C-alpha cells in the first residue's frame, strides 16, 4: 500500500510540473542547459513562440529581450487572437468586412509598444509574489498590472493535488473590485495565466503565457 501511495504521489508531482511547465523538462537537464542560454535563444527554440520571435526580430528587440527583465511572451495563438481582435476593430471602424489586420499591418514601433506591455524590469519569480495582488508597471510605464499566485487543482486518478500558477491581470481604469456597486463596468480587467513559469535564463526570467492571452493584453470592446 505504501508503494501505491508513493507512485500516486509521484504521478501528482509530475502532473503538476507538466501542467505548469510544458516547455521545460523538469528532469533538470533542460533547466541546466537553458540556464546558460539567453532569453531570446530560449524563445527561438520553441515552436509555440516563433511568431513572437519573428516580431522581436522585425522590431530589433533582441538586446532588449536579453536584458535584465522578466518577459511574459504570448504564444502563437495569443498573437493570432490579437490579430483577430484588431481585425474586428478595423472592420467596425470602416464598416467593411473585407478588411484584415495582419502581421504586416504592424510597424516596428507598434510591435515595440505591444511587446513592451509584456516586459517588466528585473527578475520576478514566484518567491516575489503571494496570494494577494501586487501591483507592477511594465517598461512602457503604461497601465497597471497585478501579479499574484493562485492555487491550481489537478486531478490524477481521482486524487486531487494543488500547485501554484501565476496570474497576470491588466487593469483598465478602475480594478474590477473597485467599481462602485450599481455602476456598469465598461472596462473589465484582462485576466491571463502563465503556462510555463520561472524559466531562468542566463539573462533574465521568462514566464510563457497560456494560449488565450492576447499580444499586448489587447481586447477590442465594441461598446
Amino acid at each position: 500500500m505504501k508503494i501505491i501511495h508513493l507512485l500516486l504521489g509521484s504521478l501528482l508531482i509530475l502532473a503538476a510540473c507538466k501542467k505548469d511547465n510544458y516547455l521545460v523538462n523538469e528532469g533538470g537537464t533542460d533547466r541546466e542547459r537553458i540556464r546558460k542560454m539567453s532569453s531570446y535563444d530560449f524563445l527561438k527554440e520553441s515552436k509555440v513562440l516563433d511568431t513572437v520571435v519573428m516580431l522581436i526580430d522585425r522590431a530589433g528587440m533582441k538586446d532588449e529581450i536579453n536584458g535584465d527583465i522578466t518577459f511574459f511572451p504570448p504564444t502563437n495563438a495569443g498573437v493570432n487572437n490579437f490579430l483577430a481582435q484588431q481585425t474586428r476593430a478595423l472592420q467596425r471602424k470602416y464598416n467593411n468586412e473585407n478588411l484584415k489586420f495582419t502581421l504586416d499591418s504592424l510597424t516596428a514601433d507598434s510591435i515595440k509598444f505591444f511587446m513592451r506591455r509584456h516586459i517588466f524590469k528585473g527578475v520576478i519569480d514566484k518567491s516575489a509574489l503571494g496570494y494577494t495582488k501586487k501591483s507592477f508597471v511594465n517598461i512602457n510605464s503604461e497601465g497597471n498590472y497585478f501579479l499574484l499566485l493562485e492555487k491550481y487543482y489537478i486531478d490524477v486518478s481521482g486524487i486531487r493535488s494543488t500547485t501554484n500558477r501565476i496570474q497576470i491581470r491588466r487593469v483598465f481604469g478602475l480594478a474590477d473590485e473597485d467599481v462602485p456597486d450599481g455602476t456598469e463596468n465598461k472596462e473589465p480587467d484582462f485576466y491571463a495565466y502563465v503556462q510555463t513559469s520561472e524559466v531562468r535564463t542566463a539573462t533574465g526570467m521568462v514566464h510563457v503565457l497560456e494560449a488565450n492571452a492576447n499580444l499586448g493584453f489587447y481586447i477590442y470592446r465594441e461598446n
Side-chain angles (χ1 to χ4, degrees):
M1 185 62 71
K2 181 183 286 188
I3 294 175
I4 292 174
H5 286 163
L6 287 172
L7 287 173
L8 286 174
S10 298
L11 285 172
L12 289 170
I13 292 170
L14 288 171
C17 291
K18 184 175 181 181
K19 181 65 184 175
D20 190 47
N21 286 296
Y22 73 119
L23 299 179
V24 179
N25 180 344
E26 289 292 334
T29 304
D30 278 4
R31 281 194 176 278
E32 292 171 7
R33 183 176 61 85
I34 291 169
R35 187 65 179 83
K36 300 174 183 178
M37 299 167 59
S38 69
S39 294
Y40 175 86
D41 287 340
F42 166 73
L43 300 174
K44 199 167 184 179
E45 278 198 354
S46 171
K47 292 181 179 179
V48 302
L49 299 172
D50 51 10
T51 306
V52 163
V53 172
M54 182 190 70
L55 292 174
I56 290 169
D57 290 341
R58 276 183 51 190
M61 297 182 68
K62 181 178 178 180
D63 289 343
E64 192 168 330
I65 294 300
N66 282 339
D68 180 23
I69 56 106
T70 295
F71 185 35
F72 291 81
T75 63
N76 296 340
V79 177
N80 288 333
N81 291 341
F82 164 82
L83 296 177
Q85 294 270 330
Q86 289 280 7
T87 292
R88 289 177 60 195
L90 192 64
Q91 291 174 350
R92 184 177 176 86
K93 180 179 180 179
Y94 294 102
N95 193 26
N96 185 345
E97 294 183 355
N98 296 317
L99 296 176
K100 298 291 182 185
F101 192 98
T102 68
L103 290 174
D104 290 334
S105 305
L106 289 165
T107 64
D109 285 342
S110 61
I111 292 171
K112 289 177 181 177
F113 174 76
F114 287 113
M115 199 73 72
R116 285 171 178 164
R117 286 182 170 175
H118 297 259
I119 301 174
F120 298 80
K121 291 181 180 178
V123 171
I124 303 169
D125 58 15
K126 287 182 178 179
S127 68
L129 308 176
Y131 294 111
T132 57
K133 64 187 183 185
K134 188 174 181 180
S135 183
F136 291 83
V137 178
N138 61 24
I139 62 170
N140 272 346
S141 296
E142 160 275 327
N144 187 23
Y145 295 80
F146 293 140
L147 294 175
L148 66 153
L149 299 178
E150 182 180 280
K151 287 190 181 297
Y152 187 77
Y153 297 95
I154 300 169
D155 288 310
V156 178
S157 301
I159 299 177
R160 174 168 284 193
S161 179
T162 60
T163 186
N164 289 322
R165 64 176 176 175
I166 298 174
Q167 180 194 96
I168 182 167
R169 175 177 163 198
R170 185 183 176 212
V171 179
F172 299 84
L174 289 176
D176 287 349
E177 63 271 19
D178 294 331
V179 176
D181 292 340
T183 302
E184 182 183 0
N185 187 2
K186 293 185 177 181
E187 294 184 315
D189 302 341
F190 184 97
Y191 294 80
Y193 292 92
V194 168
Q195 178 65 63
T196 297
S197 64
E198 296 188 301
V199 179
R200 186 68 169 97
T201 69
T203 55
M205 179 69 73
V206 179
H207 302 289
V208 181
L209 295 171
E210 61 183 355
N212 63 354
N214 301 349
L215 170 65
F217 306 103
Y218 175 82
I219 306 175
Y220 170 59
R221 307 187 199 275
E222 295 187 2
N223 55 350

